[in-house]
Amino acid sequence: MNAFIQTQALKKTYQLGDQRVEALRGIELTIAQSDFVVFMGHSGSGKTTLISTIGGLTRPTEGSVSIEGTDIWRLNDRELSAFRNRKIGFMFQSFSLLPSLNVLQNVVMPVIFRKNGKREKTDAIRERALSLLAGLEMKKKIDAHPSELSGGEQRRVAIARALINEPDIILADEPTGELDIRTEREVIEIFRAINSQYRKTIIVVSHSLSWLESAKTVIIMKDGLMHLDVPDPVEALMGRACRP
Amino acid sequence: MELLSLAAKDILRRKAKSLYLLAAIVIPVAILSTILLTLDNADSSLSTLASKFGFTMSVQPKNVKVERIDQIGIVIGEYIPESIIATVESAVRSRIRNDREPIIIAPRLYLRTDIRAGKSPVNSVVAGVDFQAELAAKPSWKVTSGRWPAGESEAVLGGTYARANNFSEKDGITINGREFRVVGVLQDYNASEDYMVFVPFRVLQSLSSREGFLSLVNVQNVSLDRDRNLLSSLVADLNGKVPNIKALAPQQFSTMKYMLLKKTFKFLFSIIAATVFISIFAIFNIVTSVLFSRVREIGLLKAVGASRSQLLAVFLSEYAALGLAAGIVGYPAGMVITYLLDSLVLNLGAGVRVSPAVILIAVASGLLCSLTASFYPTYQLSKIKITDSFRTQWEV
């Protein structure tokens, strides 16, 4: 497998008072380009910590994260910010949108932090944002503010924003959390389309079993360790044994 | 959309908090503007009064109290011998380098008496003056109607005095039994002279039986006007050596008053400095609380690629805009306070003028207050870990 994203001996330890919590315990992971990876696991299993570390949001205690050959944790703040801005689109469970901006402004927001953002014509950025919003059936609501949108609509806007800088990787932490089943289905379909049409590498963290049939790779996280090729993820999540 | 428009949208979204913060910055800016504008007005007011007086120096009886600059040049009921003229002229001449330079000596004699003009008597202040010397020293002294006296039985009236008593040129008035013809009415100068009657100096001496005496001597000399040290030494010399007189220089007096005012304001400045410090502390607390409530927003901006310097640019430009607005609002607020302070307490009477220097200081202090107070919390929060920002709303 071509190593598009690779982690080596990745460890993350949190100090909570007197207690040391090992959130990641030497993760060795390789993800190919255009893969659709879903991390599943119980709360506290380390899945969010893992994608935060891969996304350049949480610095690991030990080990490395390499994306397209770049060891991202060797970059300084400015370089890492620029790397995130250019290479990774993020989607979070809640508070994904800035309440002061409308839908269109939220979508184009990452562009203002891009180093060459000013060079790209405003019209071109707007056209790309409108095209993304049209594809997500949100074009009619471009002037609405986040408070005027439903949970599903907010997720669509967050997806459009994650795609605006045309990143190679989409990282999503519980993108369907708190959504009803129908809206969850719609969001998963959007992710599947992004993966197949735009060939983006998708990494999702979720509790929801609905993602299982869409993912190309399912990784179960448990006690800071990951479990690949689990024959029955549902069984594994229910607490049955799985192979590390 | 650019970084600055992101800051502008945040200000507009948090209208109440932005206004609260704006008010916190406006207060020290307005107080600072008030102090500076009042000092500026005091300086201007005292200079105007000094220039209105028109003379370099006044020599008058020692026991006449002068507490305000506009009291210089008014002496009633106290007299000094006329020989003081020669003493003063000689003292001035010994100090100036150019022998040919004119020294204008204008003696005055004041008399409070009843003036009759065919109606009931009007208690008035009559000033006996040397019209030629007065006009040489004060070219701005003008009659609005009529002319200057040419004969011994001619008089001019202060503008306010003439209006108040319905006198006009060509009217006849009687002073201590002697008939005078009013030949002119003076322009108003907003000074005590507006309420007086002017007749020739020697005539009033004779009418009041004060031959050989005068109320005061005004002196004007260019060299003394130019050199404050020379003037100070002359005033000190006369006061030290000539008994029963008091030499006063309006410029020196105004400077003294101004310095006194400045000293008072220096004390006030220390209070202002404390106020500014407390304001900065209050602004710091407001900014900190606002920023901590935006921790998740900061995390989100960082996640989508905002570097620490870009975050600082967004937030500091937001606070800089508020500081700028506070400077712009604080200056007119300071003008209003200055006007009220002058009208109700100080009575400097110079009016409130627009001062570009104070506008600049107001805007700069607004910016300084807001940036000083917001830099540290903004800098600290720009360092927050992204994942921590999503976990908590209030703790870093």
Side-chain angles (χ1 to χ4, degrees):
Chain A
M1 180 163 53
N2 270 340
F4 183 62
I5 300 169
Q6 193 164 35
T7 69
Q8 285 181 328
L10 203 60
K11 287 186 183 177
K12 179 68 187 177
T13 307
Y14 293 106
Q15 192 73 41
L16 298 174
D18 296 339
Q19 237 187 338
R20 285 182 84 228
V21 178
E22 289 187 309
L24 299 177
R25 296 195 289 166
I27 300 287
E28 301 277 351
L29 171 69
T30 302
I31 297 173
Q33 191 157 21
S34 309
D35 201 353
F36 191 144
V37 183
V38 173
F39 285 95
M40 304 196 87
H42 298 293
S43 297
S45 59
K47 54 191 190 303
T48 295
T49 304
L50 179 58
I51 71 156
S52 296
T53 312
I54 292 170
L57 306 181
T58 302
R59 182 176 288 279
T61 313
E62 279 178 44
S64 66
V65 175
S66 161
I67 298 176
E68 262 192 324
T70 304
D71 186 346
I72 64 165
W73 289 109
R74 285 188 182 275
L75 302 175
N76 63 29
D77 174 67
R78 189 183 288 251
E79 290 165 340
L80 183 57
S81 300
F83 187 88
R84 270 201 306 266
N85 183 264
R86 201 175 62 246
K87 284 278 175 191
I88 307 169
F90 287 96
M91 199 180 154
F92 306 101
Q93 181 181 359
S94 57
F95 201 83
S96 274
L97 307 175
L98 286 185
S100 58
L101 306 181
N102 66 24
V103 164
L104 186 61
Q105 290 163 343
N106 260 296
V107 172
V108 301
M109 189 252 287
V111 179
I112 65 173
F113 298 116
R114 205 163 61 185
K115 271 192 172 175
N116 61 349
K118 281 179 187 168
R119 286 182 211 146
E120 192 174 1
K121 283 186 179 171
T122 315
D123 288 349
I125 297 164
R126 185 184 156 86
E127 279 308 310
R128 193 160 71 246
L130 287 173
S131 157
L132 284 168
L133 286 168
L136 293 161
E137 295 171 16
M138 285 297 294
K139 203 171 177 181
K140 284 182 184 167
K141 297 214 167 179
I142 56 168
D143 293 323
H145 280 77
S147 58
E148 298 161 333
L149 302 176
S150 69
E153 287 170 331
Q154 289 191 23
R155 305 301 157 96
R156 286 163 195 260
V157 177
I159 291 168
R161 192 195 55 211
L163 292 168
I164 191 71
N165 274 342
E166 298 174 327
D168 295 325
I169 305 159
I170 305 290
L171 287 182
D173 188 2
E174 297 285 1
T176 53
E178 298 165 11
L179 292 182
D180 59 72
I181 294 169
R182 192 177 151 190
T183 315
E184 183 184 45
R185 274 268 138 226
E186 287 171 5
V187 172
I188 292 170
E189 277 311 308
I190 292 167
F191 270 85
R192 192 143 64 175
I194 292 166
N195 179 245
S196 59
Q197 286 172 26
Y198 301 105
R199 303 198 49 79
K200 306 285 180 197
T201 306
I202 300 208
I203 301 171
V204 173
V205 160
S206 182
H207 283 107
S208 172
L209 298 173
S210 307
W211 288 89
L212 290 177
E213 56 195 70
S214 305
K216 292 177 186 168
T217 309
V218 175
I219 297 171
I220 306 293
M221 292 293 295
K222 194 176 179 187
D223 300 329
L225 293 170
M226 62 173 219
H227 305 271
L228 271 167
D229 304 326
V230 178
D232 189 345
V234 179
E235 280 291 301
L237 288 167
M238 293 297 285
R240 314 289 200 276
C242 50
R243 182 172 57 85
Chain B
M1 195 169 66
E2 291 179 10
L3 289 179
L4 288 180
S5 67
L6 197 62
K9 285 178 198 302
D10 277 328
I11 293 174
L12 293 175
R13 188 170 73 91
R14 295 176 173 80
K15 286 188 192 81
K17 278 185 179 167
S18 297
L19 280 174
Y20 184 53
L21 190 57
L22 188 74
I25 310 170
V26 162
I27 292 167
V29 173
I31 295 172
L32 187 68
S33 301
T34 302
I35 297 281
L36 293 174
L37 284 170
T38 305
L39 268 180
D40 188 39
N41 288 351
D43 187 25
S44 144
S45 165
L46 292 168
S47 299
T48 307
L49 279 171
S51 64
K52 216 180 264 179
F53 181 69
F55 291 97
T56 312
M57 181 178 72
S58 185
V59 179
Q60 55 191 55
K62 193 171 189 171
N63 48 357
V64 175
K65 276 190 179 175
V66 177
E67 287 168 346
R68 295 199 320 265
I69 192 167
D70 56 347
Q71 288 174 334
I72 298 177
I74 311 291
V75 176
I76 295 172
E78 298 285 342
Y79 306 94
I80 45 178
E82 204 176 319
S83 59
I84 191 72
I85 292 176
T87 311
V88 169
E89 190 169 4
S90 151
V92 175
R93 185 67 65 197
S94 69
R95 273 178 172 73
I96 59 174
R97 289 174 192 163
N98 186 353
D99 289 347
R100 289 181 187 174
E101 191 179 292
I103 300 166
I104 299 169
I105 304 280
R108 281 192 177 194
L109 179 70
Y110 290 105
L111 175 69
R112 183 175 282 283
T113 185
D114 286 342
I115 290 183
R116 292 176 185 278
K119 308 163 206 169
S120 53
V122 180
N123 192 263
S124 316
V125 174
V126 182
V129 298
D130 177 343
F131 285 106
Q132 210 177 346
E134 296 278 343
L135 285 168
K138 294 162 71 173
S140 61
W141 221 30
K142 287 194 169 61
V143 286
T144 51
S145 62
R147 58 174 173 78
W148 290 104
E152 289 197 341
S153 299
E154 291 181 341
V156 287
L157 309 178
T160 310
Y161 179 87
R163 280 195 303 278
N165 298 296
N166 288 323
F167 288 146
S168 59
E169 66 175 287
K170 294 176 186 171
D171 277 348
I173 56 172
T174 306
I175 304 170
N176 281 12
R178 178 167 177 163
E179 294 279 333
F180 286 85
R181 177 157 298 281
V182 176
V183 295
V185 175
L186 284 169
Q187 186 184 318
D188 282 331
Y189 289 94
N190 196 23
S192 52
E193 291 175 341
D194 298 343
Y195 303 87
M196 293 180 186
V197 175
F198 295 87
V199 297
F201 174 71
R202 294 288 174 202
V203 175
L204 192 64
Q205 264 188 331
S206 155
L207 271 178
S208 59
S209 307
R210 296 282 174 192
E211 287 93 345
F213 287 90
L214 45 81
S215 301
L216 57 88
V217 181
N218 289 325
V219 180
Q220 199 206 47
N221 176 258
V222 177
S223 290
L224 292 175
D225 278 335
R226 281 189 196 137
D227 191 338
R228 285 193 175 189
N229 292 334
L230 196 68
L231 181 62
S232 301
S233 77
L234 174 68
V235 167
D237 206 21
L238 284 171
N239 286 332
K241 289 180 180 165
V242 184
N244 304 321
I245 62 114
K246 185 192 286 171
L248 291 163
Q251 284 294 349
Q252 205 185 8
F253 195 83
S254 68
T255 308
M256 229 166 66
K257 280 271 182 184
Y258 179 69
M259 293 312 286
L260 190 71
L261 200 64
K262 215 171 170 181
K263 264 190 182 173
T264 311
F265 277 118
K266 258 188 186 173
F267 167 69
L268 283 178
F269 263 121
S270 57
I271 295 172
I272 296 304
T275 312
V276 168
F277 180 77
I278 293 166
S279 295
I280 287 177
F281 187 68
I283 298 163
F284 174 87
N285 283 333
I286 298 167
V287 169
T288 306
S289 100
V290 169
L291 281 175
F292 271 71
S293 71
R294 295 170 71 181
V295 161
R296 290 182 149 210
E297 193 178 322
I298 292 165
L300 180 65
L301 292 175
K302 286 187 89 166
V304 299
S307 64
R308 198 182 298 167
S309 57
Q310 285 172 320
L311 273 178
L312 280 173
V314 170
F315 288 101
L316 288 181
S317 57
E318 198 174 317
Y319 294 115
L322 283 173
L324 199 69
I328 293 165
V329 174
Y331 177 77
M335 280 181 86
V336 171
I337 300 169
T338 307
Y339 174 76
L340 293 174
L341 193 67
D342 190 25
S343 310
L344 304 173
V345 185
L346 295 172
N347 297 315
L348 292 167
V352 182
R353 297 177 306 155
V354 173
S355 164
V358 181
I359 293 175
L360 274 178
I361 292 171
V363 171
S365 59
L367 271 174
L368 192 73
C369 277
S370 63
L371 290 178
T372 308
S374 59
F375 183 79
Y376 182 73
T378 310
Y379 179 73
Q380 283 299 318
L381 276 174
S382 73
K383 292 199 295 186
I384 191 174
K385 289 174 187 164
I386 300 168
T387 40
D388 287 349
S389 74
F390 288 121
R391 279 200 196 106
T392 178
Q393 187 83 347
W394 292 98
E395 289 170 13
V396 184

